[in-house]
Amino acid sequence: MFQRLLRLAFATLSCFVLPVFAAPYLPASDSQVLERLPISPANPVFRELRALRTELASRPADAEVASKLAGRYFDLAMAEGDPRYIGYAEAALRPWMSSASIPPDLHIIRGQLRQYRHDFGGALGDFAAALAKDPSSTGARAWRAAIFMVQARYDDARSECVALAQHATELFYTGCLSYVEATTGRTRSAYDSLAAILRKNPRASASSKLWNLTRLAEMAHRLGEPATAEKHFRDALSLGVDDNFLLAAFADFLLEENRPAEVVALLKDRTRSDTLLLRLALAEAALKLPTAPKRIQALEDRFAEAGLRKEQLHLQEEARFRLQLKQDPSAALKLASENWKAQREPRDAGILLSAALAARDRAAAQPAIDWLEQSGFEDKRLRRDADALKALAK
């Protein structure tokens, strides 16, 4: 349970942000069919959701039932990359979305939904309120740490991870802390520490193993050990846990290793998720497949629709789309610069550096260059781009 919360927190906020509807849509009646989602009536998840919806309809003021239903929708959004589930979760919580007097569990799920829409201040407030009511809430601590990581507030994130040691398992606490350490110039020691603690816990849940294996894979890749990184990725995939973040991270690894055909095989049936569709389009374009133009147009349409809704939840992904698929460095740089104002994780820095280099604009990249030096983040590609940008001034 603890590690599932940590996995969701860091996966959700690791820059694979999905466009969502501007507000939850409420049907006129319970019988109205909105769309057939890819969950069959025989699926246990379908039965669970139906039971919770029925229970909430009969007891609409029951905060506990609403929290359970919203939480399951949120989990599905993270697993499948389908943003519509976020709207359903918000609809379930509608009576409590602006209330100040709510139980700790509702503060946590409301905070999750707020951070999804980049209301980081509101989310931090919810998690703080949950901790004030229940100081042992590991979920609230993990989510606060995740938001601080997005904001590059590493001392604050580290403090939250240290505080987890009082109530969480050793694996949970180590996973949180190792993520901070690996981002602040201590990748090798963070990798060794996390790998050792994972070996000590062979009976950890599949969800816990997935999160830690994904983190280890990313660290190993940055350390220049692609074979080790791939083993961690494949071990995570073998757990059979549906996870949008894992698929996106592995796809990025395969793309960097110049193995686009494997990305196509991995993602060809996962086009509901914008983050996975982007990586599929990149792979098909690299292979010059006849399906690539259709994927690119689908992404163009989705970004245009998000723009009409005045959403800014997908700037990093659109910047990558503009740079790598539309060959428009100027547009990509504008998006990456705007994205940096809210999100300052390694992938955010990476697209800002890449776009600035393509546009030959060192000044625009300076925030990411400064972050790279101040954080000590270890990544050869980012360092190479930063050095190339510095050389432009000479």
Side-chain angles (χ1 to χ4, degrees):
M1 176 62 176
F2 290 160
Q3 282 290 339
R4 185 181 70 84
L5 286 168
L6 182 62
R7 176 176 66 85
L8 284 173
F10 284 109
T12 306
L13 287 159
S14 290
C15 302
F16 298 115
V17 181
L18 310 172
V20 294
F21 297 113
Y25 171 72
L26 299 178
S29 69
D30 290 341
S31 62
Q32 182 177 349
V33 177
L34 302 180
E35 182 170 351
R36 303 291 182 184
L37 293 177
I39 302 180
S40 71
N43 190 307
V45 174
F46 178 92
R47 294 197 295 269
E48 180 187 5
L49 290 171
R50 182 172 58 185
L52 286 170
R53 287 197 300 267
T54 301
E55 190 175 0
L56 185 59
S58 65
R59 302 205 309 273
D62 193 320
E64 182 178 355
V65 177
S67 180
K68 287 181 180 178
L69 178 58
R72 287 302 289 123
Y73 279 135
F74 184 80
D75 289 352
L76 285 168
M78 296 304 98
E80 299 181 13
D82 193 329
R84 290 168 297 180
Y85 290 119
I86 297 297
Y88 305 153
E90 289 174 329
L93 289 188
R94 188 184 184 193
W96 298 274
M97 284 303 289
S98 59
S99 175
S101 179
I102 58 177
D105 285 351
L106 268 182
H107 273 299
I108 291 177
I109 183 60
R110 191 172 71 180
Q112 290 171 333
L113 297 174
R114 283 175 167 173
Q115 61 75 32
Y116 195 98
R117 296 195 181 279
H118 287 191
D119 178 9
F120 296 141
L124 287 170
D126 263 321
F127 300 136
L131 285 168
K133 296 174 181 179
D134 179 11
S136 66
S137 175
T138 55
R141 289 280 182 207
W143 279 100
R144 283 176 62 83
I147 291 174
F148 290 145
M149 289 297 292
V150 169
Q151 297 176 327
R153 295 167 58 181
Y154 302 123
D155 289 342
D156 290 332
R158 187 178 289 106
S159 294
E160 296 294 339
C161 293
V162 170
L164 281 170
Q166 300 178 42
H167 303 288
T169 65
E170 185 182 16
L171 181 57
F172 188 76
Y173 153 76
T174 303
C176 181
L177 191 57
S178 68
Y179 187 48
V180 181
E181 298 302 294
T183 309
T184 52
R186 291 173 285 275
T187 309
R188 173 55 69 186
S189 61
Y191 175 90
D192 291 342
S193 176
L194 185 56
I197 199 67
L198 187 58
R199 286 194 297 269
K200 284 176 57 180
N201 290 270
R203 296 184 180 180
S205 68
S207 180
S208 169
K209 290 179 179 178
L210 183 147
W211 189 88
N212 287 296
L213 285 167
T214 306
R215 294 276 81 77
L216 288 171
E218 292 180 323
M219 293 181 206
H221 192 209
R222 294 206 307 270
L223 290 168
E225 301 173 8
T228 301
E230 182 168 355
K231 183 180 186 308
H232 289 315
F233 275 128
R234 294 200 178 279
D235 285 347
L237 288 168
S238 72
L239 295 169
V241 179
D242 201 14
D243 189 85
N244 191 74
F245 177 77
L246 168 62
L247 291 172
F250 187 40
D252 281 341
F253 168 80
L254 292 172
L255 287 169
E256 286 195 36
E257 292 293 304
N258 195 29
R259 294 158 61 181
E262 294 175 63
V263 175
V264 173
L266 181 71
L267 303 181
K268 62 183 179 181
D269 299 321
R270 300 297 299 256
T271 57
R272 285 180 176 269
S273 164
D274 290 2
T275 57
L276 300 186
L277 177 59
L278 173 62
R279 287 151 179 84
L280 178 59
L282 287 166
E284 291 186 345
L287 294 167
K288 295 182 172 55
L289 296 182
T291 49
K294 181 178 72 171
R295 310 291 192 197
I296 294 171
Q297 186 58 53
L299 284 165
E300 186 78 78
D301 293 343
R302 293 188 193 186
F303 290 134
E305 289 167 7
L308 291 174
R309 295 191 297 267
K310 300 187 183 302
E311 293 173 354
Q312 291 190 319
L313 308 181
H314 60 296
L315 297 178
Q316 183 218 116
E317 300 298 321
E318 187 176 358
R320 188 173 175 184
F321 170 76
R322 297 292 166 201
L323 180 63
Q324 298 181 6
L325 288 172
K326 303 297 287 185
Q327 288 77 51
D328 188 345
S330 178
L333 182 56
K334 182 178 179 180
L335 290 161
S337 297
E338 185 65 26
N339 175 66
W340 186 259
K341 295 177 182 178
Q343 297 198 165
R344 299 179 179 180
E345 283 204 292
R347 287 184 181 86
D348 302 300
I351 187 59
L352 181 53
L353 291 169
S354 296
L357 184 59
R360 300 186 64 78
D361 188 339
R362 172 178 172 163
Q366 197 59 48
I369 295 172
D370 292 343
W371 168 85
L372 194 59
E373 296 306 318
Q374 293 163 7
S375 68
F377 186 71
E378 298 163 299
D379 184 284
K380 290 181 179 179
R381 183 182 66 81
L382 267 61
R383 296 279 174 182
R384 183 180 64 246
D385 285 354
D387 290 342
L389 281 158
K390 293 175 186 177
L392 292 179
K394 296 179 180 179

PDB file of all heavy atoms in Angstrom, residues 67 101-111 126-127 129-135 137 140:
ATOM      1  N   SER A  67     -14.668   8.895  -1.696  1.00  0.00           N
ATOM      2  CA  SER A  67     -13.207   8.840  -1.733  1.00  0.00           C
ATOM      3  C   SER A  67     -12.723   7.555  -2.395  1.00  0.00           C
ATOM      4  O   SER A  67     -11.783   7.570  -3.200  1.00  0.00           O
ATOM      5  CB  SER A  67     -12.653   8.948  -0.312  1.00  0.00           C
ATOM      6  OG  SER A  67     -11.245   8.900  -0.323  1.00  0.00           O
ATOM      7  N   SER A 101     -13.818  21.411   5.479  1.00  0.00           N
ATOM      8  CA  SER A 101     -13.966  20.421   6.557  1.00  0.00           C
ATOM      9  C   SER A 101     -14.252  19.057   5.963  1.00  0.00           C
ATOM     10  O   SER A 101     -15.404  18.676   5.722  1.00  0.00           O
ATOM     11  CB  SER A 101     -15.100  20.846   7.493  1.00  0.00           C
ATOM     12  OG  SER A 101     -15.269  19.893   8.520  1.00  0.00           O
ATOM     13  N   ILE A 102     -13.188  18.318   5.673  1.00  0.00           N
ATOM     14  CA  ILE A 102     -13.327  16.982   5.084  1.00  0.00           C
ATOM     15  C   ILE A 102     -12.350  16.029   5.758  1.00  0.00           C
ATOM     16  O   ILE A 102     -11.363  16.452   6.356  1.00  0.00           O
ATOM     17  CB  ILE A 102     -13.066  17.007   3.559  1.00  0.00           C
ATOM     18  CG1 ILE A 102     -11.664  17.552   3.263  1.00  0.00           C
ATOM     19  CG2 ILE A 102     -14.128  17.827   2.837  1.00  0.00           C
ATOM     20  CD1 ILE A 102     -11.317  17.536   1.781  1.00  0.00           C
ATOM     21  N   PRO A 103     -12.576  14.716   5.678  1.00  0.00           N
ATOM     22  CA  PRO A 103     -11.682  13.728   6.293  1.00  0.00           C
ATOM     23  C   PRO A 103     -10.310  13.713   5.610  1.00  0.00           C
ATOM     24  O   PRO A 103     -10.164  14.155   4.466  1.00  0.00           O
ATOM     25  CB  PRO A 103     -12.421  12.399   6.080  1.00  0.00           C
ATOM     26  CG  PRO A 103     -13.831  12.763   5.767  1.00  0.00           C
ATOM     27  CD  PRO A 103     -13.766  14.093   5.080  1.00  0.00           C
ATOM     28  N   PRO A 104      -9.279  13.172   6.294  1.00  0.00           N
ATOM     29  CA  PRO A 104      -7.933  13.118   5.708  1.00  0.00           C
ATOM     30  C   PRO A 104      -7.866  12.423   4.353  1.00  0.00           C
ATOM     31  O   PRO A 104      -7.171  12.884   3.450  1.00  0.00           O
ATOM     32  CB  PRO A 104      -7.132  12.356   6.773  1.00  0.00           C
ATOM     33  CG  PRO A 104      -7.843  12.637   8.051  1.00  0.00           C
ATOM     34  CD  PRO A 104      -9.305  12.694   7.688  1.00  0.00           C
ATOM     35  N   ASP A 105      -8.589  11.305   4.201  1.00  0.00           N
ATOM     36  CA  ASP A 105      -8.538  10.581   2.927  1.00  0.00           C
ATOM     37  C   ASP A 105      -9.056  11.438   1.768  1.00  0.00           C
ATOM     38  O   ASP A 105      -8.539  11.363   0.649  1.00  0.00           O
ATOM     39  CB  ASP A 105      -9.356   9.291   3.018  1.00  0.00           C
ATOM     40  CG  ASP A 105      -8.645   8.212   3.821  1.00  0.00           C
ATOM     41  OD1 ASP A 105      -7.454   8.415   4.149  1.00  0.00           O
ATOM     42  OD2 ASP A 105      -9.275   7.182   4.130  1.00  0.00           O
ATOM     43  N   LEU A 106     -10.077  12.247   2.058  1.00  0.00           N
ATOM     44  CA  LEU A 106     -10.597  13.118   1.002  1.00  0.00           C
ATOM     45  C   LEU A 106      -9.614  14.234   0.675  1.00  0.00           C
ATOM     46  O   LEU A 106      -9.493  14.650  -0.477  1.00  0.00           O
ATOM     47  CB  LEU A 106     -11.937  13.715   1.421  1.00  0.00           C
ATOM     48  CG  LEU A 106     -13.191  12.946   1.012  1.00  0.00           C
ATOM     49  CD1 LEU A 106     -14.436  13.685   1.448  1.00  0.00           C
ATOM     50  CD2 LEU A 106     -13.225  12.719  -0.492  1.00  0.00           C
ATOM     51  N   HIS A 107      -8.890  14.718   1.682  1.00  0.00           N
ATOM     52  CA  HIS A 107      -7.845  15.705   1.412  1.00  0.00           C
ATOM     53  C   HIS A 107      -6.809  15.122   0.449  1.00  0.00           C
ATOM     54  O   HIS A 107      -6.323  15.808  -0.452  1.00  0.00           O
ATOM     55  CB  HIS A 107      -7.156  16.122   2.706  1.00  0.00           C
ATOM     56  CG  HIS A 107      -7.827  17.252   3.421  1.00  0.00           C
ATOM     57  ND1 HIS A 107      -7.985  18.501   2.861  1.00  0.00           N
ATOM     58  CD2 HIS A 107      -8.382  17.321   4.664  1.00  0.00           C
ATOM     59  CE1 HIS A 107      -8.606  19.294   3.721  1.00  0.00           C
ATOM     60  NE2 HIS A 107      -8.857  18.608   4.812  1.00  0.00           N
ATOM     61  N   ILE A 108      -6.458  13.854   0.640  1.00  0.00           N
ATOM     62  CA  ILE A 108      -5.416  13.241  -0.195  1.00  0.00           C
ATOM     63  C   ILE A 108      -5.894  13.092  -1.630  1.00  0.00           C
ATOM     64  O   ILE A 108      -5.193  13.485  -2.577  1.00  0.00           O
ATOM     65  CB  ILE A 108      -4.973  11.888   0.392  1.00  0.00           C
ATOM     66  CG1 ILE A 108      -4.211  12.126   1.706  1.00  0.00           C
ATOM     67  CG2 ILE A 108      -4.088  11.136  -0.606  1.00  0.00           C
ATOM     68  CD1 ILE A 108      -3.795  10.865   2.423  1.00  0.00           C
ATOM     69  N   ILE A 109      -7.085  12.527  -1.834  1.00  0.00           N
ATOM     70  CA  ILE A 109      -7.539  12.333  -3.210  1.00  0.00           C
ATOM     71  C   ILE A 109      -7.809  13.678  -3.877  1.00  0.00           C
ATOM     72  O   ILE A 109      -7.520  13.873  -5.064  1.00  0.00           O
ATOM     73  CB  ILE A 109      -8.791  11.420  -3.268  1.00  0.00           C
ATOM     74  CG1 ILE A 109      -9.212  11.172  -4.721  1.00  0.00           C
ATOM     75  CG2 ILE A 109      -9.937  11.982  -2.483  1.00  0.00           C
ATOM     76  CD1 ILE A 109      -8.156  10.503  -5.584  1.00  0.00           C
ATOM     77  N   ARG A 110      -8.345  14.673  -3.114  1.00  0.00           N
ATOM     78  CA  ARG A 110      -8.543  15.992  -3.698  1.00  0.00           C
ATOM     79  C   ARG A 110      -7.202  16.634  -4.055  1.00  0.00           C
ATOM     80  O   ARG A 110      -7.062  17.288  -5.093  1.00  0.00           O
ATOM     81  CB  ARG A 110      -9.329  16.891  -2.738  1.00  0.00           C
ATOM     82  CG  ARG A 110      -9.802  18.191  -3.399  1.00  0.00           C
ATOM     83  CD  ARG A 110     -10.740  18.969  -2.494  1.00  0.00           C
ATOM     84  NE  ARG A 110     -10.036  19.562  -1.361  1.00  0.00           N
ATOM     85  CZ  ARG A 110     -10.625  20.302  -0.419  1.00  0.00           C
ATOM     86  NH1 ARG A 110     -11.940  20.504  -0.469  1.00  0.00           N
ATOM     87  NH2 ARG A 110      -9.932  20.822   0.576  1.00  0.00           N
ATOM     88  N   GLY A 111      -6.204  16.429  -3.219  1.00  0.00           N
ATOM     89  CA  GLY A 111      -4.870  16.936  -3.526  1.00  0.00           C
ATOM     90  C   GLY A 111      -4.293  16.284  -4.772  1.00  0.00           C
ATOM     91  O   GLY A 111      -3.638  16.945  -5.588  1.00  0.00           O
ATOM     92  N   ASP A 126      -3.810  20.717   0.616  1.00  0.00           N
ATOM     93  CA  ASP A 126      -4.599  19.534   0.970  1.00  0.00           C
ATOM     94  C   ASP A 126      -3.762  18.505   1.714  1.00  0.00           C
ATOM     95  O   ASP A 126      -4.202  17.919   2.710  1.00  0.00           O
ATOM     96  CB  ASP A 126      -5.198  18.903  -0.293  1.00  0.00           C
ATOM     97  CG  ASP A 126      -6.630  19.342  -0.534  1.00  0.00           C
ATOM     98  OD1 ASP A 126      -7.391  19.466   0.439  1.00  0.00           O
ATOM     99  OD2 ASP A 126      -6.985  19.573  -1.700  1.00  0.00           O
ATOM    100  N   PHE A 127      -2.558  18.264   1.228  1.00  0.00           N
ATOM    101  CA  PHE A 127      -1.712  17.263   1.877  1.00  0.00           C
ATOM    102  C   PHE A 127      -1.280  17.726   3.272  1.00  0.00           C
ATOM    103  O   PHE A 127      -1.167  16.924   4.204  1.00  0.00           O
ATOM    104  CB  PHE A 127      -0.504  16.936   0.998  1.00  0.00           C
ATOM    105  CG  PHE A 127      -0.889  16.378  -0.344  1.00  0.00           C
ATOM    106  CD1 PHE A 127      -0.259  16.814  -1.507  1.00  0.00           C
ATOM    107  CD2 PHE A 127      -1.885  15.426  -0.459  1.00  0.00           C
ATOM    108  CE1 PHE A 127      -0.623  16.310  -2.745  1.00  0.00           C
ATOM    109  CE2 PHE A 127      -2.261  14.908  -1.694  1.00  0.00           C
ATOM    110  CZ  PHE A 127      -1.628  15.352  -2.837  1.00  0.00           C
ATOM    111  N   ALA A 129      -3.113  19.621   5.193  1.00  0.00           N
ATOM    112  CA  ALA A 129      -4.308  19.447   6.023  1.00  0.00           C
ATOM    113  C   ALA A 129      -4.482  17.985   6.428  1.00  0.00           C
ATOM    114  O   ALA A 129      -4.866  17.690   7.568  1.00  0.00           O
ATOM    115  CB  ALA A 129      -5.538  19.939   5.261  1.00  0.00           C
ATOM    116  N   ALA A 130      -4.172  17.072   5.494  1.00  0.00           N
ATOM    117  CA  ALA A 130      -4.269  15.647   5.818  1.00  0.00           C
ATOM    118  C   ALA A 130      -3.274  15.280   6.917  1.00  0.00           C
ATOM    119  O   ALA A 130      -3.597  14.516   7.839  1.00  0.00           O
ATOM    120  CB  ALA A 130      -4.021  14.806   4.570  1.00  0.00           C
ATOM    121  N   LEU A 131      -2.068  15.834   6.849  1.00  0.00           N
ATOM    122  CA  LEU A 131      -1.054  15.549   7.866  1.00  0.00           C
ATOM    123  C   LEU A 131      -1.423  16.163   9.210  1.00  0.00           C
ATOM    124  O   LEU A 131      -1.121  15.588  10.266  1.00  0.00           O
ATOM    125  CB  LEU A 131       0.311  16.068   7.403  1.00  0.00           C
ATOM    126  CG  LEU A 131       0.997  15.237   6.324  1.00  0.00           C
ATOM    127  CD1 LEU A 131       2.181  15.996   5.730  1.00  0.00           C
ATOM    128  CD2 LEU A 131       1.461  13.897   6.892  1.00  0.00           C
ATOM    129  N   ALA A 132      -2.070  17.318   9.185  1.00  0.00           N
ATOM    130  CA  ALA A 132      -2.488  17.943  10.440  1.00  0.00           C
ATOM    131  C   ALA A 132      -3.513  17.073  11.156  1.00  0.00           C
ATOM    132  O   ALA A 132      -3.529  17.001  12.395  1.00  0.00           O
ATOM    133  CB  ALA A 132      -3.070  19.325  10.166  1.00  0.00           C
ATOM    134  N   LYS A 133      -4.346  16.383  10.395  1.00  0.00           N
ATOM    135  CA  LYS A 133      -5.363  15.515  10.981  1.00  0.00           C
ATOM    136  C   LYS A 133      -4.832  14.114  11.270  1.00  0.00           C
ATOM    137  O   LYS A 133      -5.320  13.424  12.154  1.00  0.00           O
ATOM    138  CB  LYS A 133      -6.573  15.437  10.044  1.00  0.00           C
ATOM    139  CG  LYS A 133      -7.282  16.770   9.851  1.00  0.00           C
ATOM    140  CD  LYS A 133      -8.385  16.672   8.811  1.00  0.00           C
ATOM    141  CE  LYS A 133      -9.066  18.025   8.607  1.00  0.00           C
ATOM    142  NZ  LYS A 133     -10.135  17.975   7.586  1.00  0.00           N
ATOM    143  N   ASP A 134      -3.841  13.703  10.492  1.00  0.00           N
ATOM    144  CA  ASP A 134      -3.265  12.363  10.662  1.00  0.00           C
ATOM    145  C   ASP A 134      -1.764  12.430  10.360  1.00  0.00           C
ATOM    146  O   ASP A 134      -1.340  12.226   9.224  1.00  0.00           O
ATOM    147  CB  ASP A 134      -3.943  11.366   9.719  1.00  0.00           C
ATOM    148  CG  ASP A 134      -3.357   9.964   9.829  1.00  0.00           C
ATOM    149  OD1 ASP A 134      -2.570   9.711  10.776  1.00  0.00           O
ATOM    150  OD2 ASP A 134      -3.664   9.119   8.959  1.00  0.00           O
ATOM    151  N   PRO A 135      -0.929  12.712  11.360  1.00  0.00           N
ATOM    152  CA  PRO A 135       0.520  12.850  11.144  1.00  0.00           C
ATOM    153  C   PRO A 135       1.200  11.602  10.601  1.00  0.00           C
ATOM    154  O   PRO A 135       2.319  11.683  10.095  1.00  0.00           O
ATOM    155  CB  PRO A 135       1.041  13.179  12.552  1.00  0.00           C
ATOM    156  CG  PRO A 135      -0.137  13.750  13.268  1.00  0.00           C
ATOM    157  CD  PRO A 135      -1.324  13.015  12.739  1.00  0.00           C
ATOM    158  N   SER A 137       0.184   9.916   8.022  1.00  0.00           N
ATOM    159  CA  SER A 137      -0.224   9.722   6.626  1.00  0.00           C
ATOM    160  C   SER A 137       0.980   9.685   5.692  1.00  0.00           C
ATOM    161  O   SER A 137       1.530  10.723   5.310  1.00  0.00           O
ATOM    162  CB  SER A 137      -1.183  10.838   6.191  1.00  0.00           C
ATOM    163  OG  SER A 137      -1.482  10.718   4.819  1.00  0.00           O
ATOM    164  N   ALA A 140       0.249  11.408   2.172  1.00  0.00           N
ATOM    165  CA  ALA A 140       0.397  12.863   2.116  1.00  0.00           C
ATOM    166  C   ALA A 140       1.861  13.260   2.050  1.00  0.00           C
ATOM    167  O   ALA A 140       2.242  14.171   1.303  1.00  0.00           O
ATOM    168  CB  ALA A 140      -0.279  13.501   3.330  1.00  0.00           C
TER     169      ALA A 140
END
